[in-house]
Amino acid sequence: MQVVWRGADAFDEAAYGRVFNARKPERSPAAVAFPESDDDVIAAVRLARERSLQVSVRSGGHSWAGWSVRDDALLIDMARMRSIQYDPDSGIAVANPAIQGGHELAPFLEDHGRMFPGGHCASVGIGGFLLQGGQGWNSRHLGWACQSVVAIDVVTANGELVRADDSENSDLLWAARGAGPGFFGVVVRFHLRTYPKPHMVHDTWTFSMNDLEPLVEWMDDVLPTLERTVEPVIAASSLRDLPLRDGVERPDGPLLLLHTTAMSSDEADAARMLAPLDGCPIAERALFHERGPTSIAEENQAQVAQNPDGYRYAADCAWTNVGGAELAPLLRSMWSELDTEHSFSIWYGWAPTGDLPDMAFSVEGNVYVAAYAIWDDPERDAHYREWVHRRIGAIAASGEGVYLGDTDFTRRPDRFLSDANFARLQELRAKWDPDRLFCSYLIDPAATLNRPYGGTERIQ
Ligand SMILES: Cc1cc2nc3c(=O)[nH]c(=O)nc-3n(C[C@H](O)[C@H](O)[C@H](O)COP(=O)(O)OP(=O)(O)OC[C@H]3O[C@@H](n4cnc5c(N)ncnc54)[C@H](O)[C@@H]3O)c2cc1C
């Protein structure tokens, strides 16, 4: 197994090369290990113990905050373990954690006529995605992607390989369904329940920013009427190639894209599910409208265009139950300040059913709001980081908490688990990782983990 120690020529590439965010962390691990087998992962965990190093783990490298890069830790980078298998009898797929949900898992399953609720962006690794919950395609219907993890193979803090499923080490599986970077083991394989490949239809509208308030309030009204296989997202985006009707001149600044997908066993049924959107009260003001077939591959491609490689990113999010009339002014303040071509922000109609199974993941709300500042000039780092957390903080002040996938607790800590589940997670960590070998959550040392954000805390 290759281990690259700090000071070696290859160290910077080993430590930072696979961090998706071009704004690389300022932290420096002691070494990076690249296991190629389960035995290598065990050896890496034992090496960390021998050298009294903490362990951090990287799968796809897509944590916006670069969680895998921790000061003086041994970083176990799973990049070189890349297998996916599918058993047609059980419908279970088994994949290593660095497998990319959209680029690798989705096309592999599609060849078998199957799908998994993988992430909306193709290059995200399934490791970090699944451990923190996983907001994937058709997740309003199929649940958080971690609910479709039936078992994991884990190298524990004492260097043993164990299986965790509903009957064996079930507490470890409970934690793996939502602990995110607070998980205390190295997952080497996920066993995933897959689903028949659906027919997918999209319904896409473009509006100008002038229509923000009626659009958000209408979506607030229509959301409870939508079937769970329908996923509505409003994105405020300045991308140059947003769809416009022939002859429409593109207004300056961000536009509003209402992009809704529906999945079903046949295309006509998926199209029927989108019928509630026919009642759009501002339809005559739309700059574009189209409904038609689409696919996970096409949708993933659009997400890649919105989240390009090589840019600097800052992200934050909030779950909120406030109504559209109260939310719209906060969205207007934030969305009218989106001032780079790629920066964008979403209103994602989630409308949870309130019946999450017993697992660590436990905080959600009616609407998911997230903002992604995307820029290229390092001189603007401080500006955009402050902006994204201040604007989302204004929504989070009356929110329910956050989703780990779009957070940076060194800037704005917030609640991500229920109090009971957070307490249980601490107990399980004490059981499985009593020496605190694994680095766990990255947070400002002066801040408190999993406390509701009151709106008055310092945003850094
Ligand atoms: C462009 C983009 C699009 C995104 N879209 C979505 C989306 O649609 N839905 C969604 O839910 N999220 C989305 N995210 C968020 C993403 O899911 C998280 O950032 C996730 O952590 C990325 O997983 P990763 O394995 O690529 O990241 P990594 O940075 O490799 O992992 C993040 C952390 O997870 C832990 N971890 C990872 N692998 C393991 C393992 N094998 N064992 C133990 N711990 C591990 C570690 O603490 C690690 O530091 C997106 C992120 C980006 C950058």
Side-chain angles (χ1 to χ4, degrees):
M1 168 177 55
Q2 186 186 14
V3 180
V4 184
W5 293 92
R6 192 192 291 149
D9 286 348
F11 178 77
D12 279 2
E13 180 54 28
Y16 309 107
R18 287 207 328 113
V19 173
F20 172 78
N21 195 340
R23 184 174 57 79
K24 306 294 178 189
E26 285 162 11
R27 302 173 294 275
S28 176
V32 187
F34 292 97
E36 296 181 25
S37 65
D38 293 357
D39 285 346
D40 281 352
V41 176
I42 292 169
V45 167
R46 293 189 175 156
L47 174 68
R49 280 204 173 280
E50 277 160 32
R51 305 282 182 110
S52 300
L53 300 172
Q54 276 200 302
V55 170
S56 66
V57 187
R58 176 154 65 215
S59 287
H62 275 57
S63 151
W64 303 108
W67 283 330
S68 58
V69 183
R70 303 297 289 269
D71 277 330
D72 304 321
L74 176 67
L75 164 53
I76 301 182
D77 188 319
M78 302 297 288
R80 295 185 192 169
M81 293 174 66
R82 301 195 87 87
S83 120
I84 322 179
Q85 286 158 356
Y86 175 69
D87 173 11
D89 293 334
S90 63
I92 301 292
V94 181
N96 291 129
I99 291 294
Q100 297 180 335
H103 285 317
E104 295 173 281
L105 182 63
F108 172 86
L109 291 178
E110 196 169 329
D111 287 347
H112 294 274
R114 309 294 289 177
M115 67 87 71
F116 182 78
H120 299 98
C121 192
S123 55
V124 172
I126 62 169
F129 170 80
L130 290 171
L131 284 170
Q132 72 206 3
Q135 195 173 41
W137 294 114
N138 212 7
S139 267
R140 266 176 33 94
H141 173 56
L142 298 174
W144 289 89
C146 66
Q147 293 174 235
S148 294
V149 174
V150 295
I152 47 176
D153 298 327
V154 183
V155 174
T156 62
N158 63 8
E160 272 177 345
L161 179 64
V162 301
R163 167 71 58 97
D165 57 25
D166 280 340
S167 53
E168 193 182 356
N169 299 312
S170 57
D171 56 356
L172 205 52
L173 181 61
W174 182 93
R177 289 177 171 153
F183 188 66
F184 28 78
V186 186
V187 181
V188 294
R189 267 176 305 283
F190 291 92
H191 300 247
L192 307 170
R193 181 181 303 120
T194 65
Y195 303 89
K197 183 183 156 212
H199 290 271
M200 198 169 175
V201 172
H202 78 99
D203 181 84
T204 305
W205 303 74
T206 309
F207 292 99
S208 89
M209 279 286 282
N210 296 335
D211 295 318
L212 187 156
E213 287 78 7
L215 180 61
V216 168
E217 289 178 39
W218 170 57
M219 285 313 293
D220 209 37
D221 291 342
V222 90
L223 178 59
T225 71
L226 296 176
E227 292 188 33
R228 304 231 35 102
T229 44
V230 176
E231 291 189 334
V233 177
I234 305 171
S237 164
S238 298
L239 280 186
R240 299 308 306 167
D241 57 356
L242 292 180
L244 295 173
R245 258 195 339 262
D246 282 350
V248 170
E249 196 170 325
R250 192 197 191 291
D252 286 338
L255 298 180
L256 305 176
L257 194 73
L258 168 60
H259 184 67
T260 307
T261 51
M263 298 206 189
S264 181
S265 52
D266 75 78
E267 201 172 301
D269 197 42
R272 177 195 59 77
M273 290 171 181
L274 294 167
L277 302 181
D278 292 341
C280 176
I282 50 169
E284 79 289 351
R285 299 221 288 273
L287 308 177
F288 175 82
H289 181 219
E290 184 182 85
R291 184 174 298 170
T294 184
S295 65
I296 290 181
E298 277 178 69
E299 296 293 324
N300 278 341
Q301 209 41 51
Q303 299 287 332
V304 170
Q306 184 74 70
N307 298 272
D309 273 344
Y311 282 81
R312 309 174 85 80
Y313 286 81
D316 200 355
C317 64
W319 291 113
T320 180
N321 290 336
V322 305
E326 200 180 324
L327 187 58
L330 297 168
L331 293 176
R332 176 167 286 286
S333 301
M334 177 163 66
W335 290 358
S336 55
E337 290 173 356
L338 289 163
D339 64 356
T340 72
E341 182 185 351
H342 290 100
S343 292
F344 70 105
S345 170
I346 56 169
W347 173 106
Y348 186 163
W350 191 251
T353 55
D355 58 358
L356 285 177
D358 187 19
M359 59 181 179
F361 185 95
S362 40
V363 169
E364 48 185 9
N366 188 48
V367 169
Y368 184 67
V369 180
Y372 310 87
I374 308 176
W375 68 101
D376 54 9
D377 178 0
E379 298 282 321
R380 303 289 283 158
D381 284 5
H383 166 78
Y384 284 116
R385 295 190 75 185
E386 190 276 339
W387 175 81
V388 87
H389 298 296
R390 176 167 46 83
R391 281 297 178 209
I392 287 288
I395 294 169
S398 56
E400 305 305 305
V402 289
Y403 170 48
L404 280 171
D406 289 325
T407 56
D408 180 350
F409 291 154
T410 65
R411 295 288 158 147
R412 197 185 67 76
D414 203 333
R415 173 176 182 264
F416 58 97
L417 297 179
S418 69
D419 291 347
N421 286 14
F422 185 64
R424 182 167 187 221
L425 190 65
Q426 309 307 310
E427 286 166 20
L428 292 180
R429 182 168 189 206
K431 171 185 162 187
W432 285 96
D433 184 14
D435 304 325
R436 302 183 79 79
L437 183 75
F438 287 92
C439 286
S440 198
Y441 301 100
L442 180 65
I443 185 164
D444 179 341
T448 309
L449 202 55
N450 203 46
R451 202 169 59 186
Y453 177 72
T456 54
E457 293 89 334
R458 187 169 56 115
I459 288 177
Q460 299 176 29

